[in-house]
Amino acid sequence: MARAGGITNAVNVGIAVQADWENREFISHISLHVRRLFDFLVQFESTTKNKLAKLNEKLDTLERRLELLEVQVSNATANPALFTAN
């Protein structure tokens, strides 16, 4: 009888060890995917910041051109004689 109890105990330990390995494997997979997600987000942030910086430069250039055109239109409106034929 003691022997049967020992086999049952060994089976329970084996099941517990198997479950532990499965849990560790699951945690390992989750950790790997979290790391991949983190790497993606870091790369996405970097790419997005770069693209936004380029767009900001283009917008600044367009704003300066618009201000120049506004001044030119304002000057032309204030001095219409510059555009009339004599």
Side-chain angles (χ1 to χ4, degrees), residues 54-71:
K54 288 179 182 178
L55 284 174
N56 193 40
E57 289 175 13
K58 290 178 181 180
L59 183 59
D60 288 343
T61 300
L62 288 173
E63 287 174 341
R64 286 192 301 271
R65 287 182 183 173
L66 181 59
E67 288 173 358
L68 177 63
L69 289 172
E70 287 173 343
V71 169

Side-chain angles (χ1 to χ4, degrees), residues 1-11:
M1 283 249 168
R3 189 170 208 186
I7 291 173
T8 303
N9 191 27
V11 169

Side-chain angles (χ1 to χ4, degrees), residues 70-86:
E70 287 173 343
V71 169
Q72 290 174 342
V73 168
S74 177
N75 287 340
T77 304
N79 301 315
L82 295 174
F83 299 98
T84 57
N86 289 335

Side-chain angles (χ1 to χ4, degrees), residues 10-26:
V11 169
N12 288 339
V13 169
I15 292 170
V17 169
Q18 180 65 29
D20 184 57
W21 276 106
E22 289 172 0
N23 286 337
R24 289 173 187 256
E25 185 177 359
F26 176 74

